[in-house]
Each structure stands twice: as structure tokens, then as C-alpha cells.
Amino acid sequence: QVQLVESGGGLVQPGGSLRLSCAVSGFTAADYAIGWVRQAPGKEREGVSCITDTHTIQYFVDSVKGRFTMSRDNAKNTVYLEMSSLKPEDTAVYYCATDRTTTCPLGGFVYAHWGQGTQVTVSS
């Protein structure tokens, strides 16, 4: 059974940092593309980043480039999203997701399997 479990969200001040984790079970994370998607209140889901089986990483939102870094630990079957210089507009529920294919979906937000999400709130 495919399971993705996010953790690491919370309340952080503008300019702060957080590291989100997505623990995967039921499949090997290194064999497939896995993405991070966020949904802000009142807005549609937005693809943030995606890592393929060959460790190619895409960032779909211009505003996160240079601030967010996605990575994968094969030994822990876990993917991460390191977020720094956080802004209030980064406030959202962050999900990890996969289609169990080796490529990232166009736009980075259409997947078959989703975690439950973790809330990130950036506020002073």
C-alpha cells in the first residue's frame, strides 16, 4: 500500500526556515518521481518541486527558486523540502505526492497518491 507521510510544518516568522519531510512506504522512493505541492487558503493547488528517479529536480514556482531545496535520502526512503527565507505568501498546506512513474507531471501538481499534508504558516 502506497503511503506518504509529511512532517515538519509549523509556524515560522518571515525570513525563517523549515525542513519538511515525506516518509514513503509501500514503494521505493528512489524508483519513482515524487513531488511537493502546496495549497494556500482560497487558492488552487500549486506544484512546488519534483524529483525524478535519476535525481533530476524541477522547481515549478519562480518565487521559490533559490530559497527551496528538494532532496531525497534513499536509505531512509524519505524526501525533503528545505525552505529558507520564508515569506507570508509561502503559507499553505504542503503535500508530497507521486504517480509511481519516473517522470514529473507537467505543471507538477497532478498525482495519483497523496499524503495528508502539513501546514506551514509564515507570520510575525
Side-chain angles (χ1 to χ4, degrees):
Q1 182 180 358
V2 173
Q3 277 196 310
L4 304 104
V5 179
E6 304 94 335
S7 61
L11 173 64
V12 63
Q13 292 187 340
S17 300
L18 282 175
R19 186 177 80 158
L20 306 184
S21 300
C22 173
V24 166
S25 60
F27 68 100
T28 300
D31 290 345
Y32 301 102
I34 298 174
W36 285 99
V37 179
R38 68 184 182 184
Q39 187 167 22
K43 295 189 177 181
E44 295 185 352
R45 286 185 175 178
E46 175 181 55
V48 176
S49 63
C50 178
I51 186 169
T52 70
D53 62 324
T54 57
H55 229 105
T56 299
I57 300 171
Q58 291 180 254
Y59 297 95
F60 298 99
V61 182
D62 286 342
S63 66
V64 310
K65 293 176 182 177
R67 299 190 298 120
F68 289 13
T69 302
M70 187 172 184
S71 62
R72 184 176 67 218
D73 186 329
N74 294 342
K76 294 183 177 180
N77 220 29
T78 299
V79 297
Y80 302 96
L81 186 66
E82 296 266 5
M83 307 184 295
S84 62
S85 302
L86 282 161
K87 305 175 181 180
E89 51 264 42
D90 295 318
T91 295
V93 178
Y94 284 72
Y95 301 89
C96 63
T98 185
D99 257 354
R100 294 190 68 185
T101 62
T102 58
T103 57
C104 296
L106 197 63
F109 61 91
V110 179
Y111 296 95
H113 306 281
W114 294 79
Q116 83 287 350
T118 186
Q119 176 71 48
V120 171
T121 302
V122 185
S123 175
S124 55

